[in-house]
Amino acid sequence: MRSVVLRFGLIALAMLLSFSLIAETLALQSFESLPDDTWSYTANPVPSRLIYWGPTTEAMGGASAYDGSSYWAGWDLDNVESTVTFSTLTLQAGFTYNVSFYYFTKNLATTNDYCRYSVKYDNGTNWDGWTNVANNSNAWTAVSVDVPSGSNYLRMCLSSKFDGSTKYAHWDYILVERTPIPNTAPVVSNVTASQRTDGSKLVDIYYDLYDANGELCDISLKISADGGANYNIIPSPANLSGDFGDDLPNGTNKHIVWNIGAESYGLDSSYLYRVYADDGSSPIPENFLLVEGGTFNPPDWDGSPTSYMVTLTSFYIDKYEVTQASYQAVLGTNPSFFNGNPNYPVEQVSWFNAIEYCNRRSMQEGLTPCYSYGANGTNPSDWPTGWSYDDANHTNVSCNWSADGYRLPTEMEWMFAARGGIHSQGNTFSGSNDINDVAWYSSNSASRTHEVGELSANELGTYDMSGNVWEWVWDIMDGYPSGNHTNPTGPISGSPHMGRGGSWNFSAEYCTVSFRAGISATSMYLHVGFRCVRVSP
Amino acid sequence: MKTAMLLCILFMFGSGLLALTGYGTTAPVINDTVDPSLSILSPNGGETWYIGDTNDIIWTASDTNLSPNSVYLWYSLNGGTNYTSLAEAIANGGSYPWELPSPQSYNAKVRIKVSDSFGNFTQIASASAFTISYVPPQEPTGVSVNTANGIDAVITWQPVTQTIYNTPITPDGYIVLYNESPYEHDEHFYYYLWDVTSGTSFTHGGVMRRRAEMFYRVVAYKDYDGRMAGILSAARANPETKLSVADIKQALVSADMGGEK
């Protein structure tokens, strides 16, 4: 039984792979005037029976169509160069291409007469590189040309020239096929890096990217300080610009600029730079960022040190506060006070509303919801009426911390991310010591929320973790415990819940990465929203 | 169970979820984002260097990739507000002989900049001000007081003929100061007498009738830029105001440029 299952599996796998690699017709011209004859052409001179140059069903020189009933015939051309020029095809990446055709020649002289073809791989108009076919094949003879990899265009011209009523040059079944290239890893080549010598502490990194399948690639960068044994220097995304990040196409001479001077560390040795390309199947959700795990000392609400050491495992976090558009898409309503732009952060949402958003969004995307309500499961539709109207109900909500769905960050996850994670530079506000760089707050907001992501990002690339709207986190309010903790989730009882980051109507001291505010779970203020996190596999 | 697992594998292939990663690596790359270390040993504040004399500016600089001939030197006579270039693109030899220019300054600083081959640089100035001064006369010797007539004190001294560098010099004059207490190290208590003299003696008339004891100090001065004369002239115009050596020095310092005579 075991061998049968295994054999079945291997056969099925082989079939699938072979199916996925089968050639398919991209263009055909068999001169049958049928829908399958998709590769258009122009003839010069136009088809004529005076000197025969055109499609025919007649037997000419002993030939009949190679395919179907019609073929392109050339006879007694009066030494006029006669051509059939096929239209330029645009080729997609991810395939290999082949052009083939059949010719029939009879009695062409070995000099002066010719029957030839030219295949070009650009979108120009000139023709050269002619290849003569045999001058007296007296039978349909195949010609096959593989298109060089990486070609973006394909065009072809057939040409004949001769004179005499006993001479013939025919063409038929001009076919362009493409075959999917097996999923192969992207190739990163010609990687160079050099630090500028102008004191800017900028490094220019160049590379070529080629993914044979034509998939967009996610580009990341790591550096080794020990000759390649470990690539554990990871630039902060906020300090990288250029051809870096998600969904980059193939290309040469791609350029990344790394501002080392903005990192919290210096470099003063010999290093190896490695550019990684992932062919688009990154597990990082759209508009989320990876927060690499680490250990940190959370400052107290006023920024002073605590005796509390926290270790967090990696997780993904929203780059942006949840927008009104996203909230509307998930819950079908927009409770926000400030409107007019779908990319304003959603506000006037309670902690319960945020919980519901997380679960419903998870369900929409086929993920496992994180939150359950009592014994009523994870589907908010199954939760009791009024579950979100009473502050006391908040402890009925429990979290499955290993579920892959959306959830609120814990307070420590929020603070770790707001501080820039392992790339933290210890800024007072999320991404800067100058609040005006990163936050909409009482002195610059014009008394309203603003579109998410308008100001500068923090060290990780998240926006608005200081200001704009307070952000709900999971935790119930309490003082920080002492000692070391891993992935703490806060008290299991008490109230209220925590909000972090300050907002458009609060002054700077409330918008720090350390300030904590308690907000009852049912409150819906026009300065409170949230962002989500997800577990990192 | 196994079939289901295989189908899962097949699904992964079919749906293209099999992510593949490629990478490329550079040859070894030298990076240096660390600014050179630099410290000034001299003059780093408090020194008195004399115009025309040659002193060494001394510094230490280091960096993994220190650029050759990347040391720049400047000096300031106004505490660092403005700098004048002293040397450009010289080697990091650690010292530079500097013949002190005029005019005087009680608020002088030097500034040094050193760069590495990546353009990282460090630029620092003397930690505090130093003094650039004219070379003063040597102090008068052989000061003695004769009270033989029981009325006057006749103070005499040997003429000063050299600067402190043994350069021949003729002082523009001598100031005789007095005090009733021997505060040897407190210039505020050596009050300026009404007059100065270009000679080598001074008579404090009638002092024996008024004081039981008196102490004198003789200062030789060289008025390089004429401002000392102005200070003394002002003092003569207001004879009731006592003027100490410290007052004189302070008047010269407050005048932005100047020096002890």
Side-chain angles (χ1 to χ4, degrees):
Chain A
M1 178 62 186
R2 177 176 180 175
S3 62
V4 170
V5 170
L6 182 60
R7 190 176 305 152
F8 167 77
L10 291 174
I11 291 171
L13 179 60
M15 287 178 64
L16 183 66
L17 291 174
S18 62
F19 275 127
S20 67
L21 302 180
I22 199 165
E24 59 190 28
T25 298
L26 177 65
L28 172 68
Q29 187 50 260
S30 196
F31 308 108
E32 304 294 332
S33 298
L34 295 175
D36 288 345
D37 291 322
T38 56
W39 200 1
S40 61
Y41 63 89
T42 56
N44 185 26
V46 297
S48 167
R49 291 187 67 86
L50 295 177
I51 56 162
Y52 203 92
W53 183 245
T56 186
T57 57
E58 298 175 23
M60 300 184 71
S64 59
Y66 169 81
D67 177 72
S69 59
S70 184
Y71 63 97
W72 187 275
W75 174 54
D76 194 7
L77 297 179
D78 289 349
N79 266 338
V80 174
E81 180 175 3
S82 304
T83 59
V84 177
T85 303
F86 293 89
S87 61
T88 302
L89 300 176
T90 300
L91 307 182
Q92 281 184 277
F95 298 88
T96 58
Y97 292 87
N98 173 273
V99 56
S100 61
F101 56 85
Y102 289 83
Y103 72 91
F104 180 105
T105 54
K106 195 169 187 177
N107 298 330
L108 301 190
T110 55
T111 58
N112 298 323
D113 294 350
Y114 57 73
C115 177
R116 62 185 187 176
Y117 64 91
S118 173
V119 182
K120 304 283 284 182
Y121 310 108
D122 56 30
N123 61 349
T125 56
N126 69 307
W127 298 100
D128 52 25
W130 293 98
T131 301
N132 289 341
V133 301
N135 63 334
N136 189 27
S137 69
N138 205 24
W140 288 109
T141 303
V143 171
S144 176
V145 178
D146 289 330
V147 177
S149 63
S151 299
N152 295 317
Y153 301 97
L154 172 65
R155 56 193 176 99
M156 186 172 74
C157 184
L158 306 176
S159 168
S160 295
K161 181 183 176 186
F162 53 85
D163 184 31
S165 59
T166 61
K167 298 179 180 179
Y168 303 89
H170 309 322
W171 312 91
D172 201 2
Y173 204 66
I174 292 93
L175 174 68
V176 179
E177 290 183 305
R178 68 179 187 181
T179 305
I181 298 172
N183 190 22
T184 54
V187 176
V188 180
S189 57
N190 297 326
V191 184
T192 63
S194 63
Q195 183 178 335
R196 297 184 192 179
T197 58
D198 58 0
S200 62
K201 305 185 197 305
L202 298 176
V203 174
D204 296 292
I205 302 132
Y206 291 92
Y207 65 96
D208 297 341
L209 172 64
Y210 178 69
D211 185 279
N213 307 102
E215 295 174 294
L216 300 177
C217 291
D218 298 341
I219 301 298
S220 58
L221 177 66
K222 294 182 179 180
I223 291 93
S224 171
D226 53 13
N230 298 285
Y231 284 85
N232 49 11
I233 300 174
I234 303 171
S236 169
N239 298 328
L240 293 170
S241 59
D243 295 317
F244 170 83
D246 297 343
D247 299 336
L248 273 77
N250 288 345
T252 59
N253 212 33
K254 289 182 176 292
H255 184 199
I256 300 172
V257 178
W258 180 25
N259 183 3
I260 308 179
E263 301 287 0
S264 58
Y265 48 83
L267 299 184
D268 193 8
S269 186
S270 177
Y271 302 89
L272 296 176
Y273 284 62
R274 181 166 284 179
V275 176
Y276 294 84
D278 187 289
D279 64 1
S281 301
S282 167
I284 299 180
E286 186 77 14
N287 284 332
F288 274 63
L289 293 167
L290 174 65
V291 182
E292 293 178 86
T295 299
F296 76 118
N297 171 230
D300 211 340
W301 66 275
D302 59 354
S304 60
T306 63
S307 59
Y308 189 43
M309 292 302 293
V310 170
T311 299
L312 296 175
T313 52
S314 300
F315 60 95
Y316 299 130
I317 192 166
D318 255 324
K319 282 184 188 176
Y320 311 108
E321 291 165 333
V322 172
T323 64
Q324 296 178 18
S326 177
Y327 194 88
Q328 173 88 40
V330 173
L331 293 181
T333 183
N334 179 10
S336 305
F337 175 81
F338 298 106
N339 50 35
N341 186 330
N343 289 323
Y344 288 157
V346 69
E347 17 86 10
Q348 296 200 134
V349 288
S350 70
W351 183 84
F352 291 113
N353 294 147
I355 294 292
E356 181 175 359
Y357 169 91
C358 291
N359 267 25
R360 290 200 185 277
R361 184 175 175 187
S362 300
M363 293 164 62
Q364 284 182 1
E365 298 182 16
L367 303 171
T368 302
C370 295
Y371 297 118
S372 299
Y373 187 83
N376 299 282
T378 59
N379 186 345
S381 297
D382 299 331
W383 296 354
T385 302
W387 70 276
S388 63
Y389 298 158
D390 187 344
D391 278 339
N393 289 341
H394 75 107
T395 52
N396 293 333
V397 179
S398 60
C399 183
N400 174 2
W401 298 102
S402 61
D404 64 357
Y406 296 92
R407 61 174 173 80
L408 293 176
T410 66
E411 188 176 17
M412 288 303 114
E413 287 173 335
W414 188 96
M415 181 153 51
F416 187 60
R419 286 162 48 88
I422 62 171
H423 303 293
S424 175
Q425 298 190 20
N427 292 315
T428 301
F429 307 99
S430 183
S432 178
N433 285 320
D434 182 349
I435 188 172
N436 290 292
D437 291 343
V438 293
W440 297 113
Y441 70 117
S442 58
S443 296
N444 69 358
S445 70
S447 299
R448 59 163 306 120
T449 60
H450 288 259
E451 183 171 327
V452 298
E454 282 192 336
L455 299 177
S456 296
N458 76 351
E459 296 90 326
L460 289 171
T462 65
Y463 294 86
D464 300 309
M465 294 195 81
S466 285
N468 218 7
V469 289
W470 290 90
E471 297 179 14
W472 286 112
V473 296
W474 163 260
D475 298 42
I476 296 170
M477 188 174 185
D478 200 357
Y480 292 150
S482 59
N484 300 329
H485 297 266
T486 299
N487 297 323
T489 57
I492 59 173
S493 63
S495 66
H497 280 267
M498 300 303 306
R500 300 296 300 247
S503 63
W504 57 270
N505 54 340
F506 278 74
S507 55
E509 62 266 32
Y510 298 98
C511 300
T512 67
V513 293
S514 56
F515 192 85
R516 315 171 73 206
I519 311 170
S520 59
T522 54
S523 296
M524 292 180 282
Y525 295 115
L526 46 81
H527 52 257
V528 179
F530 63 103
R531 76 177 66 219
C532 297
V533 297
R534 285 179 55 185
V535 294
S536 161
Chain B
M1 177 63 183
K2 289 186 172 66
T3 303
M5 190 161 65
L6 279 168
L7 288 175
C8 286
I9 295 170
L10 294 177
F11 175 75
M12 285 180 63
F13 275 90
S15 60
L17 289 178
L18 186 63
L20 293 173
T21 300
Y23 60 79
T25 309
T26 64
V29 176
I30 300 296
N31 284 130
D32 181 356
T33 62
V34 179
D35 296 334
S37 66
L38 173 63
S39 60
I40 296 177
L41 303 181
S42 178
N44 205 31
E47 297 88 345
T48 296
W49 287 2
Y50 296 110
I51 294 169
D53 190 22
T54 297
N55 289 81
D56 284 340
I57 298 172
I58 301 172
W59 71 90
T60 59
S62 62
D63 188 274
T64 310
N65 303 288
L66 199 64
S67 184
N69 298 327
S70 67
V71 176
Y72 288 71
L73 302 175
W74 297 265
Y75 69 93
S76 170
L77 298 178
N78 54 9
T81 303
N82 303 102
Y83 279 96
T84 301
S85 178
L86 190 55
E88 295 184 354
I90 62 172
N92 179 37
S95 68
Y96 178 82
W98 180 28
E99 183 178 338
L100 275 297
S102 60
Q104 297 184 108
S105 172
Y106 283 95
N107 201 16
K109 287 188 174 184
V110 296
R111 187 174 70 183
I112 304 179
K113 176 184 176 182
V114 61
S115 306
D116 67 19
S117 55
F118 290 93
N120 306 305
F121 70 89
T122 300
Q123 176 175 286
I124 60 173
S126 304
S128 56
F130 67 100
T131 297
I132 298 175
S133 171
Y134 290 107
V135 182
Q138 286 188 326
E139 64 183 35
T141 58
V143 178
S144 64
V145 180
N146 185 339
T147 56
N149 67 2
I151 299 172
D152 303 321
V154 179
I155 305 103
T156 59
W157 57 89
Q158 294 300 309
V160 172
T161 58
Q162 303 285 324
T163 68
I164 62 170
Y165 285 127
N166 299 317
T167 302
I169 187 175
T170 301
D172 291 325
Y174 300 91
I175 303 171
V176 181
L177 305 124
Y178 75 95
N179 200 310
E180 294 175 71
S181 300
Y183 294 110
E184 292 286 345
H185 302 294
D186 190 341
E187 293 174 338
H188 291 275
F189 287 88
Y190 287 102
Y191 293 112
Y192 165 50
L193 285 176
W194 165 229
D195 211 351
V196 296
T197 178
S198 57
T200 57
S201 69
F202 186 84
T203 300
H204 194 181
V207 66
M208 298 293 289
R209 293 174 175 167
R210 300 192 295 273
R211 295 291 186 272
E213 68 177 4
M214 188 64 72
F215 299 85
Y216 296 94
R217 189 175 193 182
V218 180
V219 175
Y221 72 92
K222 180 69 177 175
D223 191 4
Y224 284 100
D225 58 8
R227 289 188 300 149
M228 186 65 188
I231 292 170
L232 294 176
S233 174
R236 287 192 189 96
N238 190 10
E240 298 304 316
T241 301
K242 291 182 175 178
L243 194 62
S244 70
V245 170
D247 293 333
I248 295 171
K249 286 183 176 179
Q250 185 58 45
L252 293 170
V253 170
S254 300
D256 190 36
M257 301 284 185
E260 182 179 3
K261 306 293 189 296

